[in-house]
Amino acid sequence: MIGKQTWIIPDGFLQPKSTGEQISHEAVCVLNLTDGPADIHLTLYFEDREPMDQFFSECGSNRTHHIRLDKIKDREGNEIPRGVPYAIKVESNVPIIVQHSRLDTSQEALALFTTMGYPAH
Amino acid sequence: MIGKQTWIIPDGFLQPKSTGEQISHEAVCVLNLTDGPADIHLTLYFEDREPMDQFFSECGSNRTHHIRLDKIKDREGNEIPRGVPYAIKVESNVPIIVQHSRLDTSQEALALFTTMGYPAH
Amino acid sequence: MIGKQTWIIPDGFLQPKSTGEQISHEAVCVLNLTDGPADIHLTLYFEDREPMDQFFSECGSNRTHHIRLDKIKDREGNEIPRGVPYAIKVESNVPIIVQHSRLDTSQEALALFTTMGYPAH
Amino acid sequence: MIGKQTWIIPDGFLQPKSTGEQISHEAVCVLNLTDGPADIHLTLYFEDREPMDQFFSECGSNRTHHIRLDKIKDREGNEIPRGVPYAIKVESNVPIIVQHSRLDTSQEALALFTTMGYPAH
């Protein structure tokens, strides 16, 4: 079974500013190579407040899901705040593979970064 | 023997827009340090459709191959669609090392990102 | 316990030049998923001078800390010099997860890069 | 002893074009945490020609060295060609940690990317 059930991404940041046609955003990119659906639980950690732990998503068998962190809402309808440093724990009921990417259009022209998540369990 | 036979890249995206002289693209960069040729099989996974699993490439012994994902065609002549999130499984008959990079020129000036693939087997 | 107590980042560089509203900088992004606070010790290595080993920081339980390397001062009030290649060792009394990112605004528009640190112990 | 003696970087490319004040380049960033000097041997692999295997460098004890790949010359005075895809094997007589970064100024504003090398042995 390829992948892990827990992944960590320490550098999360939703750039508040955007220019041009593309909005600044981040995505948690998941691939599920198991035979069943992946139920995904995201916990967000901050520098100076309690974690937000009611974000859920999913990814079908043999599907990818590029979870947009600027669009996801938790069970109470809260969004991830922009302009605040955070970190992400991604947990799944089945093994998945996780990569994290950022698009930043805060100054003219855009900037991108990416890294594989840290595979914990 | 250096490397693995299966690598995963969750964040694939061929930016549809380009500006300037360079076209937006991605590459799966392979190094083969074994004594024989590497036969490489790419499977593409999507968010809402069946995988495309008829992409093949190769890399000679002690050679690198930067496989351009905007140019590769599968056995039926299909290209990877632009503007659609996807994920990649790279399989080889011999151990290889895999890195994935993106060039994005959708806004003036270009953006780059890269990461080592996730070594699965 | 998720993470490691020692992490390595070979490519550190504080770009001396900035344009636009955002200053060029780097951050060591830490997540602490243990039950207690993390005491963090940063050692900076250079190409042609002795290491600087008196930088300290912290990260609370279930908190992240994006340690700004352009702002941190060591016990004698020294900052990390700009425009000089360096490398970073991050040590903690409890397991943490470490990612390193750079923002460069030296030319118009900004550039970003990131990678997970190398987990040593 | 922190690190490995062999590291792999599949995606090498020296962008031929530069704009602004900074020249497009790549660097292999090394940290040596052992008690003695690191003798470093770089082998470059190409898509359609024999490897170049006479590049040597070094990194002192408790020092970093950001080896500029656009400046290094092999024993016969050859430079790494620009505009050609290549891959890199980094070997050292002692364990080191290796990160690879690219600066691209081919279009206005610059782009950066980085990744940890793949630790082989």
Side-chain angles (χ1 to χ4, degrees):
Chain A
M1 208 88 100
I2 297 176
K4 300 282 179 183
Q5 290 180 250
T6 303
W7 294 77
I8 306 298
I9 301 149
D11 185 5
F13 184 79
L14 289 173
Q15 170 62 246
K17 190 176 168 187
S18 300
T19 63
E21 295 170 6
Q22 297 176 78
I23 192 166
S24 293
H25 69 265
E26 294 189 324
V28 166
C29 302
V30 172
L31 177 62
N32 173 13
L33 294 174
T34 72
D35 291 336
D39 294 321
I40 295 165
H41 177 204
L42 303 176
T43 306
L44 286 292
Y45 298 88
F46 299 93
E47 291 196 316
D48 53 6
R49 62 186 94 174
E50 288 301 303
M52 298 174 78
D53 63 359
Q54 295 295 314
F55 289 92
F56 298 89
S57 187
E58 54 194 21
C59 182
S61 170
N62 289 313
R63 292 290 184 276
T64 189
H65 189 181
H66 293 197
I67 305 167
R68 285 279 297 257
L69 297 177
D70 56 325
K71 295 183 177 175
I72 196 169
K73 294 185 182 182
D74 74 4
R75 288 204 166 155
E76 297 180 349
N78 300 303
E79 298 184 344
I80 301 173
R82 282 192 180 264
V84 172
Y86 64 98
I88 312 162
K89 181 169 65 177
V90 183
E91 293 172 299
S92 167
N93 62 326
V94 296
I96 56 175
I97 308 95
V98 171
Q99 184 175 352
H100 174 249
S101 301
R102 181 184 301 167
L103 173 69
D104 186 322
T105 60
S106 59
Q107 296 193 8
E108 207 177 342
L110 63 81
L112 283 174
F113 84 17
T114 196
T115 186
M116 297 298 303
Y118 175 73
H121 300 306
Chain B
M1 208 87 99
I2 297 176
K4 299 282 180 183
Q5 289 180 250
T6 303
W7 294 77
I8 306 298
I9 301 148
D11 186 3
F13 185 77
L14 289 172
Q15 170 62 247
K17 189 176 168 188
S18 300
T19 63
E21 296 170 6
Q22 297 176 77
I23 192 166
S24 293
H25 69 266
E26 294 190 325
V28 166
C29 301
V30 172
L31 177 62
N32 173 12
L33 294 173
T34 73
D35 291 336
D39 293 321
I40 295 166
H41 177 204
L42 303 177
T43 306
L44 286 292
Y45 298 89
F46 299 93
E47 291 196 317
D48 54 5
R49 61 186 94 174
E50 288 301 303
M52 298 174 78
D53 62 359
Q54 296 294 313
F55 288 92
F56 298 89
S57 186
E58 54 195 21
C59 183
S61 169
N62 289 314
R63 292 289 183 278
T64 188
H65 188 180
H66 293 196
I67 304 168
R68 284 279 297 255
L69 296 177
D70 56 325
K71 295 183 177 174
I72 196 170
K73 294 184 181 182
D74 75 4
R75 288 204 166 154
E76 296 180 350
N78 300 304
E79 298 184 342
I80 301 173
R82 281 191 180 265
V84 172
Y86 64 97
I88 311 162
K89 180 170 66 179
V90 182
E91 293 172 300
S92 166
N93 62 325
V94 296
I96 56 175
I97 307 95
V98 170
Q99 183 175 352
H100 173 251
S101 302
R102 182 184 299 167
L103 173 69
D104 186 322
T105 59
S106 60
Q107 296 190 185
E108 208 177 340
L110 63 81
L112 284 174
F113 84 17
T114 195
T115 185
M116 297 299 302
Y118 175 74
H121 299 307
Chain C
M1 209 89 100
I2 297 176
K4 300 282 180 183
Q5 289 181 249
T6 304
W7 295 77
I8 306 298
I9 301 149
D11 186 4
F13 184 78
L14 289 173
Q15 171 61 247
K17 190 176 168 188
S18 300
T19 63
E21 295 169 7
Q22 297 174 80
I23 193 165
S24 294
H25 69 266
E26 294 190 323
V28 166
C29 301
V30 172
L31 178 61
N32 173 12
L33 294 174
T34 73
D35 291 336
D39 294 321
I40 296 166
H41 176 204
L42 303 177
T43 306
L44 286 293
Y45 298 88
F46 299 93
E47 291 196 315
D48 54 6
R49 63 186 92 172
E50 289 301 302
M52 298 174 78
D53 62 359
Q54 295 295 312
F55 288 93
F56 298 90
S57 187
E58 54 194 21
C59 183
S61 170
N62 289 314
R63 292 290 183 275
T64 189
H65 189 182
H66 292 197
I67 305 167
R68 284 280 297 256
L69 297 177
D70 56 325
K71 296 183 177 174
I72 196 171
K73 295 184 182 184
D74 74 4
R75 288 205 167 154
E76 298 180 349
N78 300 303
E79 297 184 344
I80 301 174
R82 282 193 180 264
V84 172
Y86 64 97
I88 312 162
K89 181 169 66 178
V90 182
E91 293 172 300
S92 167
N93 63 325
V94 295
I96 56 175
I97 308 96
V98 171
Q99 183 175 351
H100 174 249
S101 301
R102 182 184 300 166
L103 173 69
D104 186 323
T105 60
S106 60
Q107 296 191 9
E108 207 177 342
L110 63 80
L112 283 174
F113 84 17
T114 195
T115 185
M116 298 298 302
Y118 174 75
H121 300 306
Chain D
M1 209 88 100
I2 296 177
K4 299 283 180 182
Q5 289 180 251
T6 304
W7 294 78
I8 306 298
I9 302 149
D11 186 3
F13 185 78
L14 290 172
Q15 170 62 246
K17 190 176 167 187
S18 300
T19 63
E21 296 169 6
Q22 297 175 78
I23 193 166
S24 293
H25 69 266
E26 293 189 325
V28 166
C29 302
V30 172
L31 177 62
N32 173 13
L33 294 174
T34 73
D35 290 337
D39 294 322
I40 295 166
H41 176 203
L42 303 177
T43 306
L44 286 292
Y45 297 89
F46 299 93
E47 291 196 316
D48 54 6
R49 62 186 92 173
E50 289 300 304
M52 298 174 78
D53 63 358
Q54 296 295 312
F55 288 92
F56 298 89
S57 187
E58 55 195 20
C59 183
S61 170
N62 289 314
R63 292 290 183 276
T64 188
H65 188 182
H66 292 197
I67 305 168
R68 283 280 297 256
L69 297 177
D70 57 324
K71 296 184 176 173
I72 196 170
K73 294 184 182 184
D74 74 5
R75 287 204 166 154
E76 297 180 348
N78 300 303
E79 297 184 344
I80 301 173
R82 281 192 181 264
V84 171
Y86 64 97
I88 311 162
K89 181 170 66 179
V90 182
E91 293 171 300
S92 167
N93 63 325
V94 296
I96 56 175
I97 308 96
V98 171
Q99 184 175 352
H100 173 249
S101 301
R102 181 184 300 166
L103 173 69
D104 185 323
T105 59
S106 61
Q107 296 192 10
E108 208 177 341
L110 62 81
L112 284 174
F113 85 16
T114 195
T115 185
M116 298 298 302
Y118 174 74
H121 300 305

